[in-house]
Amino acid sequence: MSADPALSKPQDPATVNALVARLESGIGKKPKEHGFSCKKSTFTIEDTVHNVDSWKFQEQDFKKHTLPTYARGLFTWRDKVSGNYRIAIRGYDKFFNINEVKCTKWEWIADNTKAPYEVTVKENGCIIFISGLPDGTLLVCSKHSTGAREETEASHAIVGERWVDKQLAQIGKTRRDLAETLYNANVTAVAELCDDSFEEHILAYEGDQAGLYLHGINYNLGDFATYSMPEVHKFAEEWAFRKIDYVVKDDVQQLRKFLEEAAETGSWDGKDVEGFVIRCKARTDASDPNWEDWFFKYKFEEPYLLYRQWRECTKALIAGKEPRYRNHKEITREYLKFASAYFIQNKGAADQYKMNHGIIKLRNAYLAHSGLKGADIVRMDLEEKGTGQDSNLKLVLVPVATIGCGKTTVAHALTKLFGWSHIQNDNLTARKGKPQAFAAACTKALVVCPAVIADRNNHQKRERKQLIDDMSPGVNQAHFVALNYVHHSSTDKDLQDKIREITRKRVLSRGDNHQTIHAATKNNSEIIGIMEGFLNRFQSVDIDEFPDRSFDNVIDLDPLKESRENLETVVKALHHAYPKLVPEIPSAAALDDAIKASFDEYKPAIKHTIKGSATPAPKRAQTQPQQQTSKKVDVDYFSVSLPPSIIVSAVEKAIATAPEEKRAYYYELKSAHRVQQKFHVTLLHNANKSQNKEMWERYIKLYSDAKAVGEPMGTGTIKLESVVWDGRVMAITASLVGDKWECANNIPHVTVGTSVGVKPKESNDMLEGKWRNGDIGVEQIDLSAEGIEVTGKVEGVKNGKF
Ligand code: GTP
Ligand code: MG
């Protein structure tokens, strides 16, 4: 019952010593300077003299080609007698999701891998490594740790150990037996700890489903080498591990077909699964004679992602925070309502949930209540994606670039082709609060347009996060798509230099045809200084981590290529992902024309200066900020402006669920296009200033002070109370949250729409004169239980203009 000695591959001391020396060299180093950085943690193990060191790399370094090993999970120890280092535990080489990196694109897979393709179910727990030390000690580790950890009651490794003991008891073996077997074979057993009584993940493992699922046996070598699945199964049977399911596919076509079919339901063999890990052999390129063990994963999106979203939102709910979510909004709202009621009815459930217990129970209770299954949700998701335009899907195209990459050229061309909205950061004149203003302008654009190009460099994660965070609450079903002008490449070390060269050339010959970069009137070194700043700060898109994980799609573009080619890449990718929005790819001639028109039209509407590192004090003549303080302040009213999508969806939802007879007036307004496009709560109108002198003066002062420094007055939050209407006007009554702002009206409200010939201000008369008195003919739907709070900018408005 030992591992087959024929499988054994011993460690070569010189190779391992060299590996550890390289690992040591990377401790605390900067990846940029050293190629990689790593962290060492040393653990003492009970009952043995051997200490083990765990090595941890930075996740993003796995995508580079500079690591000493790609093992994710690696422990070494030193033989005190010989002084040689030895590998104690060796995880799999880091593997990537399909399409995540170049070598997980189907084309690469077809060219550089070979069958058999062992497709294993990706179990959803946490990874446990098991191996033996020379003195017969059994070593059980999680990815980067072993033994008990103070902060958690039972660490993963300890729980794993308990399961191993249980298995060994079943077969009448000892820890020493297993340790010796593993040590002699020079391998690490790799298993998934799936045990809901310890920690729940997304998929259920209860009762007899729980345990250690053995999914691999790796040689303890620097280079990745691992047992085949039949060998893994054999070992699992011998040592009472749970086995993982797998199928074998004989070629790439069959493999792809199998995976894509399974993705349609998010399940396999009648069970919800997270995805698959595919094991095969690969070579680095066609000229490489060595085939090595190589893995990639194929993760399903739904319903797994939805379940994870629910788990995170539920935790926010329990913590009293606002749950943030971007997809499946409708069903998630319903789920959260159910969850709130559930926690009220089930005392103690919330505390349990916080400790990761009852996650699946609550989810299943909701699914049973709603009559939905995981497969229904996958179908809904596909429909939602497929029907783009019809289902109110809104696209936010987010360039990630530096100066001169051609963002504006491509954006102009897209607006030409599809009539989409194009918001240029460089056209916004308010200096401070600019990021917020930019996001607000993009949000606003989406009210009337299915897509907006958020034209600024977005070259730092901070900017991407701000844009996504600021836009998400205001736009129902927003899909963020990165137009990723790739700046780092593992195959082209000189890419940055080439980008520098080409963008400088373009920008310097652009002359003054730009809002902020005036190449004809500034000296070149100044411009170059500004451009260098962007290049140095550039942070690549990393879809594994937030904020870039929030991108629904990333379209890779090449800054060295002509904008015409990048335009075509964008259009094709969008056509593929959003066929309803881009039903067909425009002809080559149409693309040519769009780019040509873009070049011809290139003349920005606004000019202002920015400060660069090498910029002297801006010349006054060039600076034309619109926010000059005027002595005489001319404001018609002060108001809180509100995101239209939230107001419209609140009303639509209330109306849709109201009895038949209550729906007519709203639908009448809607079909006559009499629902407002913009919404606000008036705080104080010029007409009422004499009765509210102190308030008026206070607001005027705030307004002037804010305007002088180019900032907005601030933000205000209101809560929606009731939708109220008569046959002439519809409004939502609101209450102000907090005491920062006052409202001169007795009943603060948002006008939703009016019949032809009726002025919006009549809503106040309707509320004050009729609704308050309970007049007949005034209808209402209460919204207060929904708890809808809306935040917007407080502004001074003149004739509908800020
Ligand atoms: P900033 O707004 O300064 O960050 O730049 P941007 O990324 O918006 O680049 P823009 O589209 O303004 O392009 C920079 C300059 O290069 C402009 O003068 C464009 O006309 C020019 N340009 C853009 N694409 C191409 C191209 O494909 N070929 C050539 N020759 N010039 C291009
Ligand atoms: Mg531009």
Side-chain angles (χ1 to χ4, degrees):
M1 283 224 275
S2 62
D4 187 345
L7 298 171
S8 181
K9 295 183 186 180
Q11 297 187 31
D12 167 43
T15 314
V16 179
N17 289 344
L19 171 64
V20 173
R22 275 208 66 205
L23 291 167
E24 295 272 1
S25 79
I27 296 174
K29 290 281 165 52
K30 291 207 171 99
K32 255 196 179 154
E33 290 158 12
H34 189 74
F36 74 96
S37 155
C38 68
K39 215 178 116 191
K40 175 167 105 169
S41 314
T42 301
F43 297 89
T44 52
I45 319 283
E46 250 178 64
D47 304 327
T48 173
V49 295
H50 297 288
N51 286 343
V52 292
D53 295 326
S54 149
W55 300 93
K56 187 177 177 182
F57 301 112
Q58 294 189 358
E59 275 304 300
Q60 65 270 24
D61 285 354
F62 282 114
K63 288 190 180 164
K64 298 179 190 151
H65 293 263
T66 45
L67 284 179
T69 171
Y70 287 80
R72 200 149 171 268
L74 178 70
F75 292 73
T76 57
W77 58 278
R78 187 170 199 187
D79 184 336
K80 294 199 171 105
V81 180
S82 66
N84 286 327
Y85 286 97
R86 295 198 45 109
I87 295 174
I89 294 268
R90 208 267 187 221
Y92 299 130
D93 266 10
K94 161 80 187 174
F95 52 90
F96 294 97
N97 199 13
I98 187 80
N99 289 326
E100 185 178 354
V101 290
K102 192 177 133 232
C103 64
T104 57
K105 305 240 185 241
W106 279 116
E107 281 163 30
W108 192 94
I109 292 168
D111 289 345
N112 297 296
T113 67
K114 70 173 184 184
Y117 296 98
E118 295 174 342
V119 185
T120 57
V121 173
K122 191 170 182 312
E123 297 296 342
N124 177 242
C126 64
I127 204 159
I128 293 288
F129 299 118
I130 307 160
S131 75
L133 292 172
D135 59 5
T137 304
L138 188 73
L139 191 58
V140 181
C141 305
S142 59
K143 208 183 301 154
H144 301 297
S145 148
T146 182
R149 282 207 320 239
E150 280 165 17
E151 69 266 31
T152 44
E153 214 180 302
S155 78
H156 293 124
I158 295 285
V159 177
E161 228 168 67
R162 278 187 219 145
W163 275 104
V164 174
D165 288 341
K166 214 163 154 180
Q167 285 169 215
L168 292 170
Q170 270 172 32
I171 54 170
K173 293 270 173 185
T174 63
R175 283 190 182 196
R176 178 176 264 278
D177 294 330
L178 179 57
E180 282 177 355
T181 303
L182 293 167
Y183 182 78
N184 291 335
N186 189 34
V187 292
T188 298
V190 190
E192 199 80 359
L193 170 63
C194 301
D195 179 358
D196 290 350
S197 67
F198 164 54
E199 177 180 77
E200 277 180 32
H201 289 263
I202 305 292
L203 304 171
Y205 293 95
E206 283 164 346
D208 63 358
Q209 295 290 309
L212 285 172
Y213 286 72
L214 186 74
H215 45 68
I217 296 181
N218 295 341
Y219 287 99
N220 292 333
L221 301 171
D223 289 338
F224 181 44
T226 190
Y227 284 22
S228 70
M229 281 319 290
E231 290 157 358
V232 173
H233 266 199
K234 185 161 166 270
F235 192 94
E237 281 162 15
E238 282 173 1
W239 292 93
F241 282 96
R242 298 194 141 272
K243 290 188 285 187
I244 58 160
D245 296 327
Y246 75 98
V247 287
V248 178
K249 297 289 156 196
D250 294 328
D251 60 55
V252 173
Q253 288 74 25
Q254 279 185 44
L255 172 69
R256 185 167 181 178
K257 187 162 170 280
F258 170 83
L259 294 172
E260 287 176 352
E261 278 172 12
E264 281 172 20
T265 61
S267 64
W268 181 56
D269 214 13
K271 219 173 78 171
D272 282 346
V273 289
E274 190 192 348
F276 295 102
V277 177
I278 298 93
R279 296 148 194 249
C280 61
K281 302 263 182 212
R283 56 187 176 185
T284 46
D285 58 56
S287 62
D288 182 356
N290 297 318
W291 292 93
E292 282 171 6
D293 287 323
W294 186 78
F295 291 9
F296 72 98
K297 61 187 166 185
Y298 190 98
K299 268 172 63 167
F300 298 149
E301 301 205 318
E302 299 297 353
Y304 180 78
L305 289 181
L306 174 68
Y307 293 166
R308 189 171 69 186
Q309 175 172 301
W310 284 357
R311 183 186 66 189
E312 297 311 312
C313 287
T314 313
K315 289 192 171 174
L317 188 79
I318 294 170
K321 292 189 201 138
E322 188 194 345
R324 284 183 162 258
Y325 50 91
R326 296 203 305 105
N327 298 314
H328 296 299
K329 294 197 176 176
E330 195 67 29
I331 190 173
T332 301
R333 254 195 298 271
E334 293 298 319
Y335 162 82
L336 286 171
K337 258 196 221 164
F338 179 88
S340 307
Y342 179 90
F343 288 127
I344 293 168
Q345 282 160 16
N346 296 279
K347 293 267 168 297
D351 287 336
Q352 286 282 312
Y353 201 102
K354 276 193 276 187
M355 291 157 65
N356 291 328
H357 293 299
I359 297 171
I360 295 153
K361 193 167 164 204
L362 168 58
R363 182 178 81 211
N364 284 342
Y366 170 72
L367 290 175
H369 159 86
S370 67
L372 289 169
K373 290 201 191 68
D376 297 328
I377 294 164
V378 174
R379 190 180 36 71
M380 280 157 54
D381 181 62
L382 290 175
E383 278 169 12
E384 198 174 299
K385 282 199 179 115
T387 51
Q389 247 163 349
D390 308 337
S391 63
N392 289 328
L393 183 121
K394 300 284 185 183
L395 273 196
V396 187
L397 302 177
V398 185
V400 176
T402 53
I403 294 176
C405 282
K407 301 176 295 291
T408 305
T409 305
V410 170
H412 272 316
L414 288 169
T415 61
K416 272 258 139 11
L417 290 166
F418 305 110
W420 294 339
S421 182
H422 174 199
I423 303 294
Q424 288 194 70
N425 191 41
D426 289 316
N427 281 351
L428 302 182
T429 47
R431 288 264 188 90
K432 293 197 179 160
K434 202 170 166 183
Q436 287 72 27
F438 179 65
C442 293
T443 302
K444 214 178 254 176
L446 287 176
V447 176
V448 289
C449 208
V452 65
I453 305 132
D455 185 356
R456 80 178 170 186
N457 282 310
N458 302 304
H459 65 311
Q460 288 184 285
K461 292 185 181 180
R462 180 176 53 79
E463 289 180 298
R464 273 124 57 192
K465 177 173 173 5
Q466 178 265 328
L467 186 68
I468 294 171
D469 283 356
D470 281 12
M471 287 190 72
S472 297
V475 188
N476 245 337
Q477 286 191 40
H479 264 223
F480 292 87
V481 178
L483 304 183
N484 183 27
Y485 286 88
V486 176
H487 274 58
H488 294 111
S489 154
S490 53
T491 50
D492 185 354
K493 291 211 172 49
D494 305 325
L495 181 62
Q496 281 244 1
D497 290 338
K498 292 180 190 159
I499 295 174
R500 180 174 284 120
E501 189 187 337
I502 199 160
T503 53
R504 272 186 198 175
K505 212 180 277 167
R506 286 181 191 166
V507 169
L508 296 178
S509 61
R510 183 168 62 185
D512 273 358
N513 282 337
H514 192 264
Q515 302 91 329
T516 49
I517 316 280
H518 307 147
T521 40
K522 271 191 173 150
N523 68 42
N524 285 1
S525 65
E526 211 177 291
I527 304 278
I528 286 168
I530 296 169
M531 293 180 73
E532 278 300 295
F534 279 86
L535 280 169
N536 290 334
R537 289 189 302 267
F538 187 88
Q539 290 173 310
S540 293
V541 170
D542 178 4
I543 54 175
D544 265 351
E545 301 287 334
F546 284 110
D548 298 331
R549 222 157 96 176
S550 301
F551 281 120
D552 297 281
N553 275 296
V554 175
I555 304 175
D556 283 349
L557 301 175
D558 184 348
L560 306 181
K561 286 199 174 138
E562 292 288 304
S563 293
R564 165 66 176 77
E565 198 171 325
N566 282 329
L567 173 70
E568 185 164 342
T569 308
V570 173
V571 170
K572 281 186 174 160
L574 291 178
H575 166 69
H576 181 72
Y578 304 101
K580 282 277 156 62
L581 208 56
V582 183
E584 54 193 42
I585 298 170
S587 66
L591 294 172
D592 290 345
D593 286 351
I595 280 286
K596 186 170 175 305
S598 185
F599 285 142
D600 291 348
E601 271 176 28
Y602 206 98
K603 254 210 184 284
I606 288 186
K607 261 191 197 181
H608 49 94
T609 58
I610 59 168
K611 279 194 187 141
S613 50
T615 318
K619 285 187 199 127
R620 278 279 154 238
Q622 279 177 20
T623 319
Q624 295 292 333
Q626 289 184 343
Q627 63 271 18
Q628 280 168 359
T629 328
S630 82
K631 285 263 155 35
K632 186 174 166 298
V633 176
D634 205 1
V635 169
D636 281 340
Y637 59 89
F638 292 99
S639 68
V640 188
S641 65
L642 303 167
S645 55
I646 298 183
I647 303 301
V648 170
S649 76
V651 178
E652 297 236 319
K653 202 162 161 229
I655 295 290
T657 49
E660 185 79 37
E661 70 277 8
K662 284 199 170 189
R663 300 185 203 162
Y665 184 60
Y666 178 72
Y667 290 137
E668 206 179 296
L669 288 177
K670 204 171 150 175
S671 63
H673 302 289
R674 297 289 305 174
V675 175
Q676 308 252 318
Q677 303 245 327
K678 291 178 183 169
F679 299 88
H680 66 263
V681 173
T682 301
L683 296 175
L684 174 56
H685 199 281
N686 194 351
N688 304 323
K689 75 174 173 198
S690 53
Q691 301 97 296
N692 300 279
K693 238 173 146 199
E694 183 276 329
M695 201 194 298
W696 181 259
E697 273 163 19
R698 185 154 43 89
Y699 284 174
I700 287 287
K701 174 147 191 351
L702 279 171
Y703 174 80
S704 313
D705 289 352
K707 202 167 178 181
V709 292
E711 280 189 349
M713 282 175 74
T715 58
T717 302
I718 58 129
K719 180 174 175 233
L720 304 183
E721 300 288 352
S722 295
V723 187
V724 183
W725 67 95
D726 60 8
R728 297 171 59 78
V729 55
M730 177 180 269
I732 304 175
T733 60
S735 52
L736 296 182
V737 178
D739 51 11
K740 196 161 142 199
W741 305 100
E742 266 184 289
C743 179
N745 288 328
N746 287 325
I747 307 170
H749 60 273
V750 187
T751 302
V752 175
T754 62
S755 297
V756 179
V758 178
K759 295 234 169 69
K761 76 172 174 48
E762 265 203 35
S763 53
N764 199 41
D765 305 336
M766 186 262 295
L767 292 168
E768 290 258 14
K770 295 186 184 174
W771 180 65
R772 218 157 57 152
N773 301 331
D775 277 12
I776 323 169
V778 183
E779 298 278 1
Q780 76 163 47
I781 303 173
D782 187 24
L783 296 177
S784 58
E786 306 279 337
I788 308 169
E789 292 193 351
V790 193
T791 300
K793 270 196 292 184
V794 176
E795 294 161 329
V797 182
K798 170 73 187 164
N799 287 334
K801 295 196 183 84
F802 315 129

